[in-house]
Amino acid sequence: MEKWEEYVRRVVPYTPGEQPKETDVIKLNTNENPYPPCEGAKKLLENYNSDDLKLYPDPACTELVDAIAKVQNVKPENVFVGIGSDDVLSMAFLTFFGSDKPILFPDITYSFYDVWADVYNIPYKTKPLDEDFEIKNEDYLEPNGGIVFPNPNAPTGVYKETQEIEKIIKANKDSVVIIDEAYIDFGGQSCVPLINKYDNLLVVQTFSKSRSMAGVRIGYAIGSEQLIKFMSDVKFSINSYTLNRLSLKLGVLALEDTDYFNKTTQKIISTREKTKTQLESLGFNCLESKSNFIFASHKSVSAAKIFEELKKRRIFVRYWNKPRIDNHLRITIGTDEQMEKLICALEEIVACED
């Protein structure tokens, strides 16, 4: 070992879903929206003056912040934006989780949480979900340095009612509680209104899923003015110019087209429920989902086997060889046509194993 290696911070990195280079695949493994961004975004890209990119973006992201504040019915001072919700969450970890007490999050959840904790030397404890993959309120009543979990949870898609989450927030007024709402627009109720009651609550959302902008990278947090001020101070100590000029414009356009947003989210919800029924008829057990994916296991065919057989047919879903979930698949909801092809493939796979 070289001498300098003694001082390297070593972490096990987050493993993203596979990004196949081929285009003739059905990609249902990374929870992307199957529908294009709104028409306004398309028109902007067709007519965009590239000279605009020679200028630095607005460091305060004022136009986008104002648009988010309007949609969410909060003040601009309650909004923080970043490069996707991963950037926002990472900044929140760095800003708020400085206690010697461990932060708390579920054992089955978004697998970036423990990575950020390790990167920033934050102690943490994971709390096991119950047998139905639900968060147990009592697990989050002990002394802690902060709490974070998605709602709906990932990769399960299980949703926790707002009144139950409020009990956790209310019981932890001495630490910051972060609710990661990446999938909230697919059937859940947001915790954003609770920021008016609890100054320790931070709600994080993204444009990647329901706004069809995973490639644009826009995320944001909503919280008390004090929380947002603290996050902004850390942000401006690291990188003042986060979102680029084009992303800022695209984000505003996405927020303005409410009709398209409602249309596409409802299409995904409808396809999700139809697909769930079809999967159950093939012998799958599907958790109740309020997200743009389904978490499913088959009664007799292993998830690993199905995963590999689907891949042979150029259909990509997500599989984790991890305790408690190693017989489950996370299936992103695509278009009706894509899901019909998935169901046809699964019919073949299941029939071969019977």
Side-chain angles (χ1 to χ4, degrees):
M1 178 183 292
E2 299 290 340
K3 185 66 176 177
W4 57 264
E5 291 186 69
E6 297 178 23
Y7 309 107
V8 173
R9 178 167 296 177
R10 299 176 185 274
V11 294
V12 178
Y14 170 76
T15 303
E18 186 174 354
Q19 297 286 354
K21 299 296 188 292
E22 306 92 337
T23 56
D24 59 334
V25 301
I26 297 177
K27 191 168 179 292
L28 306 175
N29 64 331
T30 51
N31 297 343
E32 293 146 324
N33 196 310
Y35 303 107
C38 66
E39 187 65 21
K42 179 182 177 181
K43 289 180 179 178
L44 173 64
L45 292 171
E46 289 174 347
N47 301 289
Y48 189 66
N49 180 4
S50 60
D51 278 355
D52 187 51
L53 297 179
K54 70 186 179 185
L55 303 174
Y56 280 113
D58 171 16
C61 306
T62 306
E63 189 178 5
L64 179 59
V65 165
D66 288 347
I68 292 170
K70 182 179 179 181
V71 167
Q72 293 287 358
N73 195 29
V74 297
K75 296 183 293 184
E77 292 80 10
N78 297 123
V79 179
F80 174 95
V81 298
I83 309 169
S85 60
D86 286 341
D87 176 52
V88 174
L89 286 162
S90 175
M91 198 69 65
F93 271 58
L94 182 60
T95 305
F96 301 120
F97 294 162
S99 170
D100 291 334
K101 298 174 184 175
I103 64 170
L104 309 177
F105 51 84
D107 63 336
I108 300 170
T109 194
Y110 186 30
S111 53
F112 230 138
Y113 296 157
D114 58 345
V115 174
W116 286 318
D118 288 338
V119 167
Y120 297 132
N121 289 327
I122 300 168
Y124 67 90
K125 283 185 185 178
T126 59
K127 296 295 181 176
L129 301 178
D130 68 16
E131 61 276 8
D132 296 317
F133 293 102
E134 296 196 5
I135 290 171
K136 297 179 287 184
N137 282 21
E138 59 269 24
D139 285 343
Y140 297 86
L141 303 182
E142 65 183 59
N144 63 77
I147 293 170
V148 58
F149 58 83
N151 191 46
N153 197 8
T156 64
V158 174
Y159 171 73
K160 193 171 184 64
E161 296 291 342
T162 305
Q163 58 266 30
E164 291 302 309
I165 292 178
E166 184 173 5
K167 293 176 184 177
I168 294 175
I169 301 166
K170 188 175 183 179
N172 289 279
K173 291 184 178 180
D174 292 334
S175 58
V176 173
V177 178
I178 301 175
I179 308 300
D180 181 358
E181 292 187 342
Y183 304 100
I184 199 64
D185 294 323
F186 300 104
Q189 180 182 0
S190 175
C191 287
V192 165
L194 293 179
I195 71 161
N196 297 313
K197 292 177 66 175
Y198 303 99
D199 62 5
N200 64 319
L201 170 64
L202 191 75
V203 181
V204 178
Q205 294 192 12
T206 180
F207 282 55
S208 295
K209 318 301 182 187
S210 57
R211 304 280 176 183
S212 303
M213 288 189 169
V216 178
R217 312 308 300 135
I218 302 174
Y220 62 95
I222 297 179
S224 66
E225 291 184 38
Q226 188 176 24
L227 289 187
I228 299 305
K229 173 65 166 58
F230 285 140
M231 285 187 71
S232 296
D233 288 346
V234 172
K235 168 189 171 181
F236 286 115
S237 299
I238 298 172
N239 182 6
S240 298
Y241 301 108
T242 50
L243 286 171
N244 64 70
R245 295 175 70 88
L246 180 56
S247 293
L248 292 172
K249 294 176 186 296
L250 290 169
V252 172
L253 290 169
L255 290 168
E256 289 175 346
D257 198 338
T258 305
D259 289 343
Y260 185 75
F261 167 76
N262 290 333
K263 177 183 175 181
T264 53
T265 52
Q266 287 303 312
K267 281 175 80 171
I268 289 169
I269 291 170
S270 176
T271 303
R272 180 189 70 204
E273 296 308 307
K274 176 184 175 183
T275 302
K276 180 174 180 286
T277 300
Q278 292 174 313
L279 288 171
E280 289 173 341
S281 71
L282 292 176
F284 284 87
N285 175 53
C286 303
L287 296 184
E288 195 64 38
S289 174
K290 292 289 186 182
S291 61
N292 68 337
F293 58 84
I294 294 172
F295 201 57
S297 61
H298 195 267
K299 62 182 180 182
S300 58
V301 188
S302 74
K305 174 71 172 178
I306 296 171
F307 172 75
E308 293 298 338
E309 288 297 321
L310 285 174
K311 199 169 179 180
K312 291 176 184 177
R313 293 164 172 81
R314 307 181 73 74
I315 300 175
F316 290 75
V317 297
R318 194 78 195 267
Y319 170 69
W320 289 271
N321 186 15
K322 292 184 176 181
R324 297 187 67 191
I325 61 171
D326 60 351
N327 199 36
H328 289 76
L329 298 170
R330 192 193 68 190
I331 304 169
T332 302
I333 301 302
T335 63
D336 285 333
E337 181 183 10
Q338 288 174 325
M339 302 316 286
E340 287 297 335
K341 290 180 179 179
L342 168 74
I343 294 299
C344 288
L346 290 173
E347 287 175 345
E348 291 179 5
I349 295 166
V350 170
C352 288
E353 295 296 318
D354 286 342

Coordinates of all heavy atoms in Angstrom, one line a residue, residues 300-313 317 319 326-327 329 346 349-350 352-353:
S300 N -43.8 -19.6 -7.1 CA -43.0 -20.8 -7.4 C -41.7 -20.6 -8.2 O -40.8 -21.4 -8.1 CB -43.8 -21.9 -8.1 OG -44.3 -21.4 -9.3
V301 N -41.6 -19.5 -8.9 CA -40.4 -19.2 -9.7 C -39.6 -18.2 -9.0 O -40.1 -17.1 -8.7 CB -40.8 -18.8 -11.1 CG1 -39.6 -18.7 -12.0 CG2 -41.8 -19.7 -11.8
S302 N -38.3 -18.4 -8.9 CA -37.5 -17.5 -8.2 C -37.3 -16.1 -8.9 O -37.3 -16.1 -10.2 CB -36.1 -18.1 -7.9 OG -35.3 -18.1 -9.1
A303 N -37.1 -15.1 -8.2 CA -36.9 -13.8 -8.8 C -35.7 -13.7 -9.6 O -35.6 -13.1 -10.7 CB -36.9 -12.7 -7.7
A304 N -34.6 -14.4 -9.1 CA -33.4 -14.4 -9.9 C -33.6 -15.1 -11.3 O -33.0 -14.6 -12.3 CB -32.3 -15.2 -9.1
K305 N -34.3 -16.2 -11.3 CA -34.6 -16.9 -12.5 C -35.4 -16.0 -13.5 O -35.1 -15.9 -14.7 CB -35.4 -18.2 -12.2 CG -35.9 -18.9 -13.4 CD -34.8 -19.6 -14.2 CE -35.3 -20.5 -15.3 NZ -34.2 -21.2 -16.0
I306 N -36.5 -15.4 -13.0 CA -37.3 -14.5 -13.8 C -36.5 -13.3 -14.3 O -36.6 -13.0 -15.5 CB -38.5 -14.0 -13.0 CG1 -39.4 -15.2 -12.6 CG2 -39.3 -12.9 -13.8 CD1 -40.5 -14.8 -11.7
F307 N -35.7 -12.8 -13.5 CA -34.8 -11.6 -13.9 C -33.9 -12.0 -15.1 O -33.9 -11.3 -16.1 CB -33.9 -11.2 -12.7 CG -32.9 -10.2 -13.0 CD1 -33.2 -8.9 -13.2 CD2 -31.6 -10.6 -13.1 CE1 -32.2 -7.9 -13.5 CE2 -30.6 -9.6 -13.4 CZ -30.9 -8.3 -13.6
E308 N -33.3 -13.1 -15.0 CA -32.4 -13.6 -16.1 C -33.1 -13.9 -17.4 O -32.7 -13.6 -18.5 CB -31.5 -14.8 -15.6 CG -30.5 -14.4 -14.5 CD -29.5 -13.4 -15.0 OE1 -29.3 -13.3 -16.2 OE2 -28.9 -12.8 -14.1
E309 N -34.3 -14.6 -17.2 CA -35.1 -14.9 -18.4 C -35.6 -13.7 -19.1 O -35.7 -13.6 -20.3 CB -36.2 -15.9 -18.0 CG -35.8 -17.3 -17.6 CD -35.1 -18.0 -18.8 OE1 -35.6 -17.8 -19.9 OE2 -34.1 -18.7 -18.5
L310 N -36.1 -12.7 -18.3 CA -36.5 -11.5 -18.9 C -35.4 -10.8 -19.7 O -35.6 -10.2 -20.7 CB -37.1 -10.5 -17.8 CG -38.5 -10.9 -17.3 CD1 -38.9 -10.0 -16.1 CD2 -39.6 -10.8 -18.4
K311 N -34.2 -10.8 -19.1 CA -33.1 -10.1 -19.7 C -32.8 -10.8 -21.0 O -32.4 -10.1 -22.0 CB -31.9 -10.2 -18.7 CG -30.8 -9.2 -19.0 CD -29.8 -9.1 -17.9 CE -28.7 -8.1 -18.2 NZ -27.7 -8.1 -17.1
K312 N -32.9 -12.1 -21.1 CA -32.7 -12.8 -22.4 C -33.6 -12.3 -23.5 O -33.3 -12.3 -24.7 CB -32.8 -14.3 -22.2 CG -31.8 -15.0 -21.4 CD -32.1 -16.4 -21.2 CE -31.1 -17.1 -20.3 NZ -31.4 -18.6 -20.0
R313 N -34.8 -11.9 -23.0 CA -35.8 -11.3 -23.9 C -35.7 -9.8 -24.1 O -36.7 -9.2 -24.6 CB -37.2 -11.8 -23.4 CG -37.5 -13.3 -23.4 CD -38.7 -13.6 -22.6 NE -39.0 -15.0 -22.7 CZ -38.4 -16.1 -22.1 NH1 -37.4 -15.9 -21.3 NH2 -38.9 -17.3 -22.3
V317 N -35.7 -5.5 -15.6 CA -36.3 -5.1 -14.4 C -35.2 -5.0 -13.3 O -34.0 -5.3 -13.6 CB -37.4 -6.1 -14.0 CG1 -38.6 -6.0 -15.0 CG2 -36.9 -7.5 -13.8
Y319 N -33.4 -6.3 -9.8 CA -33.3 -7.4 -8.8 C -32.1 -7.1 -7.9 O -31.1 -6.7 -8.3 CB -33.1 -8.7 -9.6 CG -32.7 -9.9 -8.7 CD1 -33.7 -10.4 -7.8 CD2 -31.4 -10.4 -8.6 CE1 -33.3 -11.5 -7.0 CE2 -31.1 -11.4 -7.8 CZ -32.1 -12.0 -7.0 OH -31.7 -13.0 -6.1
D326 N -34.6 -10.9 -1.7 CA -33.9 -11.6 -2.8 C -34.8 -12.5 -3.6 O -34.4 -13.1 -4.6 CB -32.7 -12.5 -2.3 CG -33.1 -13.5 -1.3 OD1 -34.3 -13.5 -0.9 OD2 -32.3 -14.3 -0.9
N327 N -36.1 -12.5 -3.3 CA -37.1 -13.2 -4.1 C -38.1 -12.2 -4.7 O -39.2 -12.6 -5.0 CB -37.7 -14.3 -3.4 CG -38.4 -15.3 -4.4 OD1 -37.8 -15.6 -5.4 ND2 -39.5 -15.9 -4.0
L329 N -38.9 -8.7 -7.3 CA -38.5 -7.9 -8.5 C -39.2 -6.6 -8.4 O -40.3 -6.5 -8.0 CB -38.8 -8.6 -9.8 CG -38.2 -9.9 -10.1 CD1 -38.9 -10.5 -11.3 CD2 -36.7 -9.8 -10.4
L346 N -43.6 -13.0 -19.3 CA -43.8 -13.7 -18.0 C -44.7 -14.9 -18.1 O -44.4 -15.9 -17.4 CB -44.4 -12.7 -16.9 CG -43.4 -11.6 -16.5 CD1 -44.1 -10.6 -15.6 CD2 -42.2 -12.2 -15.7
I349 N -42.4 -17.6 -19.3 CA -41.4 -18.0 -18.2 C -42.1 -18.8 -17.2 O -41.5 -19.9 -16.8 CB -40.7 -16.8 -17.6 CG1 -39.9 -16.0 -18.7 CG2 -39.9 -17.1 -16.4 CD1 -39.5 -14.6 -18.3
V350 N -43.2 -18.4 -16.7 CA -43.9 -19.1 -15.7 C -44.4 -20.5 -16.2 O -44.3 -21.5 -15.5 CB -45.1 -18.3 -15.1 CG1 -46.0 -19.1 -14.2 CG2 -44.6 -17.1 -14.4
C352 N -43.0 -22.4 -18.4 CA -41.9 -23.3 -18.6 C -41.5 -23.9 -17.2 O -40.9 -25.0 -17.2 CB -40.7 -22.6 -19.2 SG -40.9 -22.1 -20.9
E353 N -41.8 -23.2 -16.2 CA -41.4 -23.7 -14.8 C -42.5 -24.5 -14.2 O -42.3 -25.2 -13.2 CB -41.1 -22.5 -13.9 CG -39.9 -21.7 -14.4 CD -38.6 -22.5 -14.3 OE1 -38.4 -23.3 -13.3 OE2 -37.8 -22.4 -15.3

